[in-house]
Amino acid sequence: MENLNILARFDYTLMVVTIGAALLGAVSGSLGTYAVLRRQSLLGDAISHAALPGIAIAFLLTGSKAPLILVLGAAIAGWLGTLLIMSIVRLTRIKYDSALGIVLSTFFGFGLVLHTLIQRTGNANQAGLDTFLFGQAATILASDILTIGVLGGVAIVITFIFWKELKLLVFDEGFAASLGFPLRTLDILLTSLLVIAIVLGLQAVGAVLMSAMLVAPAVAARQWTNKLGLMMFLAACFGALAGVSGAIISSTASRIPTGPTIVLCATVVVGFSIAFASNRGLLWDWIRQKRNRRNLKMTEQP
Amino acid sequence: MQALETKAIEVTDLTVAYQDKPVLWDIDLDVPPGVLLSIVGPNGAGKTTLIKAILGLVRPAAGNVLIYDKPYEAQRRIVGYVPQRGTVDWDFPTNVLDVVMMGRYGALGWIRRPRKQERALAMNALEKVGMEGYATRQISQLSGGQQQRVFLARALVQDSTVYLMDEPFQGVDATTERAIVDLLQELRENGKTVVVVHHDLQTVTDYFDWVMLLNIRRIASGPVEETFTPENLRQTYGGRIAFIKNE
């Protein structure tokens, strides 16, 4: 009887939202590890902004708001955006950061225009599309959890299968190429994984802040460990923690957008890790410096 | 007779350009097996690009590279590569042994992970460069010379016939430099061909038996005593060289 009571008291919607946010955080956190280590943190920003028109076009074409269709639209647009960035860098003399900026803002602007147009049509069905801007975790349904779980799971399994190749690509591209591993293919594989993580998170976190969900957990995790595998695991945990706490906090009051709340929770984790992590943390540095100075003084005295 | 004519590396008419600017112009280079060759030349002479072109890492505008009479793609397994150590992020979360085992990734192929055997080979290579005590050390804690030796160990586990090394002496102390030279000469004594991008003109005669003088074009290449002449050096460095060692 005791057990039943506890179950009854636990809100079903909140449970779904919490599980969904945890899964999202874990997927984006673990895959974001590669983005951070490759110094491509901003690529996540470009992909998530570029995904926005994809959502609008998918809706315009199908008239459906089924998550899978919208996610597919977002993924295609995000992917095209990334491909465009890579081609601009390869074929022109425009540098990576400029290419990123151009593609990001063009796609995002186009997305905003399309979203406004859709709202003007007065189609009653369009309500809720704007959650993709700032995210609304409360809109996560049980069926979304399945989508997130399956796609996110596939992405993480792929990183395990190609663990060795991806690690080599991120650490030493030139050496990887000299051994005969195809850089372009691996690059596209890695980017596709990022695209999956991002479009899954769009609904809950929103296009504007999604890249923080890739970067923040990985940055925090790097503070605590020197092992790639452990870093990825910790990033997944931190991402899940931020997702859960953000989702719960934003659901306690109405009109708190979930995306910013989740990102603020992730920021707290990052701040704590930068300050207090063993070895790499600021506090640790300060103590070590102090100890060194004292030791030095002691040796100076005769 | 046939065996004598085989070349470890044969570069013919190689031209590489970045955008419109030629970085290497019409390079010919024959490297016989079993020599220790240094490539010298001023900054921007195209030394790194030449190494990369031999490895197929940059696409030439024209020309051809053969390793033991076959294109590089067919000979990957017998070529070891030491990139400049500044090209990677040494704060990457991994340890020394892990980096050295990367030298086996080519032989392992896709998906297969390094196992006991690869681990043993890596430890063996670390012993050769005097780094066996650092196997579990995080790579961010290494000094410049130690980083260089880790990269050398990674090339050693490739167990190659031809080695291409980009500035293996850059930023290392005298002791490490001596250790690396001994290692290179040991490789040559075992019949390997070693090509090294080198900066210090004063040590060329001591360390190497062959030299290539490069400044976008090939100025000269051949045995050190014939090739490393004041006249060739002046041509390579455009008269800006003040000191040439004469024994």
Side-chain angles (χ1 to χ4, degrees), chain B residues 6 14 92 142 179-180 202 209 236:
Chain B
T6 305
L14 182 78
F92 190 84
L142 302 176
I180 294 175
Q202 303 187 42
D209 48 14
T236 312

Side-chain angles (χ1 to χ4, degrees), chain B residues 189-204:
Chain B
E189 270 144 38
N190 293 329
K192 319 281 188 184
T193 308
V194 188
V195 175
V196 178
V197 171
H198 192 49
H199 255 310
D200 184 5
L201 293 177
Q202 303 187 42
T203 52
V204 168

Side-chain angles (χ1 to χ4, degrees), chain A residues 37 39 93 160 162-165 167-168 170-172 174-175 177-182 222 226 228 280, chain B residues 19-20 57 72 76 81 88-89 91-94 98 102 105-106 109-113 138 154 158:
Chain A
L37 290 175
R39 296 157 192 254
R93 296 184 188 195
F160 279 116
F162 296 107
W163 184 260
K164 167 175 119 256
E165 288 78 12
K167 181 169 68 178
L168 185 60
V170 176
F171 176 65
D172 194 344
F175 191 69
S178 81
L179 296 181
F181 291 106
R222 182 67 188 94
N226 281 327
L228 181 60
R280 290 172 83 95
Chain B
Q19 272 130 28
D20 324 317
L57 300 182
Y72 176 71
R76 282 184 208 288
Y81 175 39
V88 305
D89 175 14
D91 198 34
F92 190 84
T94 190
D98 209 38
M102 288 176 183
Y105 283 12
W110 287 90
I111 299 167
R112 277 176 60 206
R113 305 279 179 95
Q138 162 65 20
R154 184 176 70 171
Q158 288 187 272

Side-chain angles (χ1 to χ4, degrees), chain A residues 222-239:
Chain A
R222 182 67 188 94
Q223 290 292 111
W224 298 95
T225 178
N226 281 327
K227 292 195 174 80
L228 181 60
L230 196 56
M231 178 181 170
M232 217 174 211
F233 175 73
L234 280 178
C237 293
F238 290 157

Side-chain angles (χ1 to χ4, degrees), chain A residues 144-180:
Chain A
D144 296 336
I145 291 183
L146 192 69
T147 312
I148 299 167
V150 171
L151 285 178
V154 167
I156 287 175
V157 167
I158 289 176
T159 62
F160 279 116
I161 293 176
F162 296 107
W163 184 260
K164 167 175 119 256
E165 288 78 12
L166 292 176
K167 181 169 68 178
L168 185 60
L169 172 79
V170 176
F171 176 65
D172 194 344
E173 267 191 20
F175 191 69
S178 81
L179 296 181

